[in-house]
Amino acid sequence: MQETIRKIKQLKEEKNALIIAHNYQAVEVQEIADYRGDSLQLAYMARDAENPIVVFCGVRFMAETAAILNRESRILLPVYDAGCPMADMITAEQLREFKAKHPNSVVVCYVNSSVEVKAESDICCTSSNAVKIISNIPKDQKILFVPDRNLGSWAARQTGREVITWDGYCPTHQWGFSTDDIKRIKKEYPDHTLLAHPECDKEILDEADIVISTGGMIDFAAKNDKAVFATENGLTDYLNHIYPEKSFVTLSPRAICQNMKKTHLTDVLHALETENYHITVDDETAVKAGRCIDRMFEMSK
Ligand code: 13P
Ligand code: SF4
């Protein structure tokens, strides 16, 4: 492992590459990265990067978003088939049919979606700005939200707006936690704050003290000593790694996203050596999808 780390650092230097990693990546991958973050933070980093190569340790929709926002750098996804099952739960064709059933609606798409779905949508959002985006939509507008039913309904409850959601979900957050986990953890850690990601089911969100994005969880952990996290376990693993003196616990050991765990250090090295897998988005789709992401930036200011 030490030799792989040495080679990654050397190649990164030689090629002036930037390595960014999502908060769910394995600890050693997050460690080697220049920056870590949630989906929104990583989108900003990728957009503003001036490096000829950006290695995106995450899943495909994140690298695609980077490729839309940064047309100069070569965006690399270390593992070709690191995808997001939730993003795959709606196609552009299905979205067109959904829109036809609900004419004159504004379509908000979660960033966890394909470029084609983004190109068919009006405004993009992430877990950290969904509430703000929805509340900034004029009151007389009908709102469709794709693909995450949990994030969409949570944002609807927070804003008091009516939102028609697609029936997609994140398998890790949907099936990773149960109310039995909550009962057990509240008994075992009664003085810990329960933070839940809005991709969780309503029955989990109703029990949470705070509902927040992974970036928000990282900020909370910097200022507090005790917490239980209802999100993918890579986040808790990394927090325990950097704050061994604090008490950070996962709500359930089942909450593992297999796709986020596909990236190993050897894949990061392979990406730097071969400059693959190059993620590209054609100009026409990038312009259309870019509009919906730019609207997100404007509306979440
Ligand atoms: P955030 O990091 O934006 O909270 O999103 C979590 C996620 O599911 C990424 O797949
Ligand atoms: Fe997709 Fe869920 Fe994995 Fe995030 S944690 S990449 S939403 S499957």
Side-chain angles (χ1 to χ4, degrees):
M1 180 144 129
Q2 286 315 313
E3 183 55 10
T4 309
I5 293 173
R6 190 194 62 74
K7 283 188 188 161
I8 291 174
K9 287 186 175 159
Q10 188 187 334
L11 270 179
K12 195 177 98 62
E13 192 78 18
E14 274 171 32
K15 299 196 174 188
N16 185 22
L18 180 77
I19 304 179
I20 55 181
H22 187 263
N23 293 324
Y24 295 159
Q25 290 283 291
V27 171
E28 62 277 14
V29 174
Q30 293 203 46
E31 278 257 286
I32 199 82
D34 297 293
Y35 299 106
R36 292 151 287 278
D38 66 17
S39 307
L40 185 63
Q41 292 163 334
L42 294 179
Y44 277 121
M45 280 172 211
R47 183 193 69 179
D48 300 338
E50 289 179 358
N51 308 63
I53 291 176
V54 176
V55 181
F56 207 126
C57 303
V59 292
R60 178 167 286 264
F61 77 79
M62 297 179 174
E64 284 176 347
T65 304
I68 293 166
L69 295 172
N70 183 336
R71 307 294 285 164
E72 302 296 320
S73 305
R74 186 176 172 96
I75 310 293
L76 305 180
L77 183 67
V79 176
Y80 188 74
D81 66 348
C84 168
M86 167 155 61
D88 296 339
M89 286 181 188
I90 186 166
T91 63
E93 183 55 37
Q94 287 172 313
L95 176 52
R96 280 190 287 273
E97 286 166 15
F98 193 38
K99 289 196 310 189
K101 260 196 218 154
H102 303 279
N104 306 317
S105 304
V106 171
V107 179
V108 180
C109 74
Y110 190 22
V111 70
N112 298 36
S113 53
S114 68
V115 275
E116 292 79 15
V117 164
K118 288 186 179 75
E120 283 287 337
S121 300
D122 298 303
I123 315 163
C124 189
C125 77
T126 73
S127 60
S128 61
N129 59 23
V131 169
K132 194 160 193 182
I133 302 270
I134 301 275
S135 62
N136 279 341
I137 294 173
K139 294 266 181 297
D140 56 344
Q141 282 278 359
K142 235 188 341 184
I143 303 170
L144 303 185
F145 192 98
V146 298
D148 189 3
R149 64 185 184 204
N150 290 330
L151 177 64
S153 341
W154 176 73
R157 293 195 295 280
Q158 295 308 298
T159 54
R161 299 295 301 272
E162 196 190 324
V163 176
I164 304 169
T165 59
W166 188 253
D167 200 22
Y169 58 88
C170 162
T172 305
H173 287 83
Q174 182 69 56
W175 312 123
F177 311 106
S178 68
T179 44
D180 282 348
D181 292 323
I182 295 193
K183 275 185 213 138
R184 174 184 51 80
I185 218 98
K186 285 201 167 169
K187 221 185 215 172
E188 221 175 313
Y189 301 96
D191 56 349
H192 284 46
T193 308
L194 174 59
L195 289 90
H197 195 277
E199 287 174 13
C200 293
D201 192 276
K202 181 178 182 297
E203 65 178 9
I204 303 298
L205 299 181
D206 284 348
E207 295 293 327
D209 298 303
I210 303 174
V211 177
I212 201 163
S213 74
T214 65
M217 290 179 183
I218 301 282
D219 291 346
F220 181 92
K223 298 181 203 127
N224 295 275
D225 293 340
K226 293 172 185 173
V228 173
F229 296 96
T231 196
E232 207 278 338
N233 286 339
L235 181 132
T236 326
D237 292 344
Y238 188 71
L239 287 177
N240 280 315
H241 175 72
I242 58 171
Y243 302 117
E245 73 289 1
K246 299 191 180 191
S247 177
F248 293 141
V249 185
T250 179
L251 177 59
S252 153
R254 299 187 305 281
I256 294 172
C257 172
Q258 299 300 343
N259 282 278
M260 281 285 179
K261 294 298 177 287
K262 283 181 179 170
T263 309
H264 300 105
L265 285 179
T266 45
D267 301 305
V268 180
L269 177 59
H270 181 261
L272 284 166
E273 282 170 344
T274 61
E275 301 187 7
N276 277 316
Y277 298 95
H278 184 196
I279 301 299
T280 56
V281 177
D282 68 80
D283 287 340
E284 198 187 327
T285 316
V287 168
K288 285 191 193 155
R291 261 184 229 135
C292 111
I293 301 172
D294 286 343
R295 258 180 232 133
M296 164 177 83
F297 291 143
E298 281 159 31
M299 289 179 71
S300 57
K301 268 183 204 155

